[in-house]
Amino acid sequence: MNRYQFLLLMVAHLFFSCSEREERVNPPSRPHIVFLLADDLGYGELGSYGQKLIHTPVLDELARKGIRFTNFYAGSPICGPSRAVILTGKHSASSTIRGNIGYHPEREVFARVALKPDEMTLGEMLREAGYQTAFIGKWHLDDCNVETWAHHRGFDFAVQEQFGTCPGGIVYDERMHWINGKQDSIFYDQTAYDCLDEFRTEIALDYLDGLDLADPIFLFMSYRAPHAHEKTVGDKDLYADQGWPEIERTHAAKITLLDKQVGRLLDKLTEMGVLDNTLIVFTSDNGAQGEQGHDHTFFQSTGELRGRKRDTYEGGLRVPALAFWAGNTKPGTVDDTPLSGQDFMPTFAEVAGIKVPDQTNGVSFAPVLFGRDPKPRDYLVWEFNMYGKPSTNFRQAVRIGTMKGVRYGVDSSMELYDLAQDISESSDISDQYPELVRKMEDIVQKEHVPNPHFPYGGYSAILGAE
């Protein structure tokens, strides 16, 4: 499909959706919600979080105008499980997806695992509340069945990539973006854009152009940067004068170009006259990546934090997070409340004025948006199944107050760190707090919900121990 055909499809979509509603002229009393998710952006990769070399002026300005969270955690240290936590409001020890692939015992194979049909998603929750819902970008919560794709999981308008092979000899090209399931598609021509996120932002701007602003909007922008699989960018001049290795120049360029696309989207919301009634939230799905030859220490992408993507140490879990809502968030606020991906569902429910779904075990941070303290929580917990034989591929973590427990392998000892004194998790103090360690060991066991795709303790019983 070319751009002209895509615009025609958009016009048709908007005409029919608007014609079904009574025409109104008053803006919605409930705020629009725009959720911006980066892919593998580390805690230290924005200027507002200490980055010195990579320029992110738009997001830094958003931090100055709103709230910068310093203790915000991804739901998991890797893409798919983290997104499952965000979309369903369930922490990773209880969610359906706990690794990028899982075991299917009925077929005795490892493959992608999709969200269950009876799990409510953010899109379904807000659509039921009268929101116009849209998803653009990386979904990663599906399988070959199109019913598991974003359009069928609560998003009126959904444009997503797809990858891999499926029964019937189907091979998906990641550059092809599928519209509303398989109703249509649009191809990403890398030669026509500076980056993939520019292409996706064009789709978002076209979508926003014709919306009925009498109804609130929920837009989920699932960006690509700075994931390693986007190996090149169109802008070859950005940072070319720095003398960095090309892989590092490209990494930095992806982040700055992402920042530019966020700016374009905010400008569109301003032009539409809706920014003042829009909650903007920005975060990352997990910690910094170090793949395809990129060195995550080159730009100090995790700051002082230990580990990176796939680790349940702070570098794999703690992520940048920003929130801005004109007239509500106080400019320049820095909030250190421990929060995580499962908290988006109850927060957005509260902001939209609807009942919080029973399935979520998150805590709303909506009070923080108004300068108040959220409901206290006892702890945060994580569980991650990484494919492979080593027992240490099964990874857990618990945070109680400033104390953080980490365990790689159920037969290993629980390490313990005081993040208030040791943010780099360099000094294991578990021998000083045996009762606290036992409490954390009980928590990870108690919070685990059995899942046939992701066995407790990892895959060694299936693949053979190593």
Side-chain angles (χ1 to χ4, degrees):
M1 171 187 283
N2 61 34
R3 182 172 173 79
Y4 175 72
Q5 291 171 318
F6 176 71
L7 288 172
L8 287 179
L9 178 69
M10 286 297 305
V11 169
H13 166 79
L14 293 168
F15 174 80
F16 287 113
S17 62
C18 292
S19 66
E20 293 172 357
R21 287 191 288 263
E22 179 183 354
E23 188 171 343
R24 289 169 287 172
V25 295
N26 296 323
S29 57
R30 289 171 296 174
H32 307 292
I33 300 172
V34 174
F35 185 72
L36 312 173
L37 184 65
D39 196 352
D40 296 355
L41 183 75
Y43 185 78
E45 294 192 305
L46 301 181
S48 54
Y49 284 83
Q51 178 56 229
K52 304 299 183 185
L53 300 175
I54 304 173
H55 304 308
T56 54
V58 173
L59 291 166
D60 295 344
E61 178 63 18
L62 196 68
R64 285 190 287 270
K65 292 165 58 177
I67 302 173
R68 180 170 65 90
F69 296 93
T70 57
N71 273 307
F72 206 101
Y73 290 91
S76 174
I78 201 167
C79 311
S82 178
R83 293 158 192 270
V85 171
I86 292 171
L87 265 293
T88 66
K90 298 191 290 187
H91 65 60
S92 54
S94 61
S95 64
T96 298
I97 303 173
R98 304 180 196 179
N100 276 351
I101 62 171
Y103 185 63
H104 294 258
E106 72 284 1
R107 293 183 285 148
E108 298 185 339
V109 298
F110 284 89
R112 286 150 55 188
V113 176
L115 295 177
K116 295 178 181 177
D118 62 353
E119 290 180 289
M120 177 176 283
T121 69
L122 286 178
E124 289 163 342
M125 178 187 80
L126 290 170
R127 184 171 65 182
E128 288 181 9
Y131 275 73
Q132 304 171 86
T133 58
F135 179 93
I136 298 170
K138 177 179 176 180
W139 180 240
H140 217 278
L141 300 168
D142 52 16
D143 54 30
C144 292
N145 181 359
V146 73
E147 296 295 319
T148 65
W149 296 15
H151 179 59
H152 296 280
R153 297 313 315 262
F155 292 94
D156 302 317
F157 180 69
V159 181
Q160 69 171 90
E161 66 181 29
Q162 194 52 267
F163 61 95
T165 61
C166 287
I170 299 172
V171 180
Y172 287 105
D173 185 334
E174 288 187 32
R175 295 171 296 177
M176 187 65 74
H177 283 55
W178 297 92
I179 302 169
N180 294 345
K182 283 191 173 182
Q183 292 181 23
D184 216 321
S185 59
I186 181 170
F187 187 75
Y188 168 50
D189 179 0
Q190 294 172 289
T191 66
Y193 300 92
D194 279 339
C195 61
L196 178 54
D197 290 327
E198 181 185 8
F199 168 75
R200 291 176 176 173
T201 300
E202 287 291 331
I203 294 172
L205 300 186
D206 289 341
Y207 167 75
L208 291 170
D209 266 336
L211 283 182
D212 177 1
L213 298 182
D215 290 320
I217 304 162
F218 173 50
L219 173 60
F220 192 132
M221 287 297 298
S222 185
Y223 294 111
R224 188 56 160 173
H227 195 285
H229 284 182
E230 187 175 12
K231 298 180 177 65
T232 184
V233 294
D235 190 335
K236 305 300 182 185
D237 297 324
L238 188 57
Y239 299 117
D241 59 343
Q242 296 300 309
W244 299 332
E246 179 59 19
I247 188 70
E248 306 304 347
R249 184 203 73 82
T250 299
H251 181 82
K254 285 188 286 189
I255 294 173
T256 297
L257 290 171
L258 165 62
D259 184 82
K260 179 180 178 180
Q261 302 316 311
V262 173
R264 294 178 65 212
L265 184 58
L266 296 180
D267 288 345
K268 169 59 74 172
L269 296 173
T270 301
E271 175 191 312
M272 294 168 63
V274 301
L275 184 62
D276 287 348
N277 190 36
T278 301
L279 169 61
I280 306 288
V281 175
F282 174 90
T283 191
S284 176
D285 63 346
N286 47 252
Q289 57 95 354
E291 302 167 350
Q292 304 288 331
H294 163 60
D295 179 1
H296 77 287
T297 67
F298 190 88
F299 296 109
Q300 298 301 307
S301 295
T302 60
E304 301 176 83
L305 308 181
R306 176 180 177 179
R308 57 179 179 175
K309 177 181 178 178
R310 296 183 178 84
D311 283 313
T312 53
Y313 293 105
E314 293 290 286
L317 290 172
R318 195 184 295 212
V319 291
L322 308 170
F324 169 70
W325 186 2
N328 293 297
T329 53
K330 182 180 178 181
T333 299
V334 178
D335 186 88
D336 64 358
T337 306
L339 300 166
S340 189
Q342 63 266 30
D343 299 333
F344 289 120
M345 177 169 275
T347 299
F348 293 167
E350 186 170 345
V351 166
I354 59 177
K355 181 180 181 297
V356 176
D358 292 336
Q359 73 183 32
T360 180
N361 43 36
V363 173
S364 171
F365 60 88
V368 178
L369 304 177
F370 302 101
R372 303 191 299 270
D373 293 330
K375 177 184 175 181
R377 73 184 334 140
D378 295 329
Y379 50 79
L380 287 166
V381 63
W382 295 268
E383 179 183 303
F384 170 46
N385 285 58
M386 183 165 66
Y387 176 76
K389 294 182 179 181
S391 61
T392 53
N393 280 10
F394 183 76
R395 300 175 177 183
Q396 299 168 300
V398 183
R399 176 166 171 168
I400 302 176
T402 65
M403 305 298 276
K404 169 89 175 293
V406 179
R407 185 167 71 177
Y408 281 29
V410 290
D411 295 326
S412 302
S413 300
M414 179 78 73
E415 302 166 17
L416 185 67
Y417 305 95
D418 183 354
L419 299 177
Q421 307 296 327
D422 180 23
I423 196 172
S424 300
E425 295 170 294
S426 59
S427 299
D428 180 3
I429 55 174
S430 56
D431 59 342
Q432 300 177 36
Y433 299 90
E435 292 185 9
L436 180 57
V437 169
R438 282 193 292 272
K439 180 178 181 180
M440 289 182 169
E441 291 172 341
D442 289 342
I443 287 172
V444 296
Q445 182 71 53
K446 179 185 72 172
E447 292 294 331
H448 170 81
V449 175
N451 185 321
H453 304 297
F454 304 99
Y456 191 77
Y459 299 122
S460 58
I462 300 168
L463 297 173
E466 182 174 284

